[in-house]
Amino acid sequence: MAQAARPHHGLLSFLDTDGKSHPVENSFAAATLLIGVIAFVTAHFPHLHLVSSWMGLVGIITGLWGQLISATTGERFLLIIGLGAAGVGFYLGMAHGGLFGGVLG
């Protein structure tokens, strides 16, 4: 089992629990988590409702697509955390003014 002795080198290699490399799936997980954190943090400032609502919407879309193509439990874990944060950011952003609040009317 020479492949078991070879360590994986990469920033997100801890997500590859099945021994195979999943760069696209890991990228979706990391992007969803980052976008979700941005949406969640900006949702706590009502004047940043455009940022939080749009980032939340993008985070929900990338998270759902990432769930569809995910291969390992670690990826799914990060995706669910990112999806939850993006959802909270999206809904609070919508409550504070929405996607176009004040810009288009």
Side-chain angles (χ1 to χ4, degrees):
M1 296 195 17
Q3 68 272 16
R6 262 192 321 230
H8 291 287
H9 298 292
L11 186 61
L12 298 173
S13 64
F14 66 92
L15 296 176
D16 300 330
T17 56
D18 61 350
K20 300 174 188 169
S21 179
H22 305 285
V24 174
E25 293 86 348
N26 292 349
S27 298
F28 267 99
T32 301
L33 186 64
L34 179 67
I35 291 169
V37 166
I38 292 170
F40 183 79
V41 169
T42 57
H44 291 84
F45 303 99
H47 62 280
L48 293 176
H49 63 88
L50 290 174
V51 176
S52 64
S53 59
W54 279 106
M55 292 302 274
L57 183 62
V58 170
I60 290 170
I61 292 169
T62 59
L64 290 177
W65 186 257
Q67 281 287 355
L68 184 67
I69 66 171
S70 65
T72 64
T73 304
E75 293 165 358
R76 292 182 192 114
F77 178 78
L78 288 183
L79 284 164
I80 289 297
I81 300 298
L83 268 167
V88 169
F90 175 71
Y91 291 126
L92 286 177
M94 292 299 286
H96 290 152
L99 295 169
F100 303 107
V103 178
L104 292 180

